[in-house]
Amino acid sequence: MSSIMFNDECVHVVFLGLPNVPGIAAEIFGELSKHSVSVSMVTQNTMRGGRSDLSFLIPKGRLDDVIPVCREVSERVGGQGVSFMSEVAAITVPLKSPADSAHVLAKVFSVLASVNVNIEIINSTSESAICIVSMTRAREGLEALKRAFE
């Protein structure tokens, strides 16, 4: 497997403590769409107490434009705040087949743990596993994954 990709030009945006009701995500992404913001790797986690966190990636070059938009929409929808993590990288490990996903994920977790790289968030599709990790250890994680998979 020789096509592991690395992207350090992304920002991890997290809307914290959103009301867990229909329409909130539509409001957030509708506002981002009005500002032509590209998003990827959307993840929502339902929390206790009727709240959820919603996270996604944006291009690093859009951060200054996005901060006020996200803060305003978070307040408008009754969220508990929004965080922006700009010192992250996305490492993408392709899957040979969907049936290979559990094996690849286990190996990704194991390899990154062996070099003390903590995964902030992971997303797996039928085509790849995408890990968001802190920039402080991202290059070590990338090199370890390349050694393990190539």
Side-chain angles (χ1 to χ4, degrees), residues 44-111:
Q44 182 173 347
N45 297 312
T46 303
M47 311 300 282
R48 291 182 181 98
R51 294 282 172 171
S52 63
D53 290 346
L54 176 72
S55 67
F56 51 90
L57 299 179
I58 63 165
K60 196 173 273 187
R62 294 301 310 271
L63 181 59
D64 290 340
D65 302 332
V66 168
I67 288 174
V69 172
C70 288
R71 287 183 176 155
E72 187 278 325
V73 75
S74 176
E75 187 175 315
R76 185 171 69 229
V77 300
Q80 296 174 340
V82 60
S83 70
F84 306 90
M85 292 165 270
S86 60
E87 295 300 314
V88 297
I91 302 173
T92 304
V93 179
L95 302 178
K96 293 177 185 173
S97 73
D100 197 34
S101 62
H103 171 73
V104 170
L105 288 170
K107 192 169 182 178
V108 166
F109 283 120
S110 177
V111 168

Side-chain angles (χ1 to χ4, degrees), residues 6 19 21 25 28 37 46 50 56 61 85 90 92 100 113 122 131 138-139 145:
F6 184 82
V21 296
I28 291 167
V37 176
T46 303
F56 51 90
M85 292 165 270
T92 304
D100 197 34
I122 189 166
C131 304
R139 295 281 177 191
L145 288 169

Side-chain angles (χ1 to χ4, degrees), residues 125-136:
T125 69
S126 61
E127 297 174 354
S128 64
I130 306 168
C131 304
I132 305 304
V133 299
S134 169
M135 277 302 297
T136 59

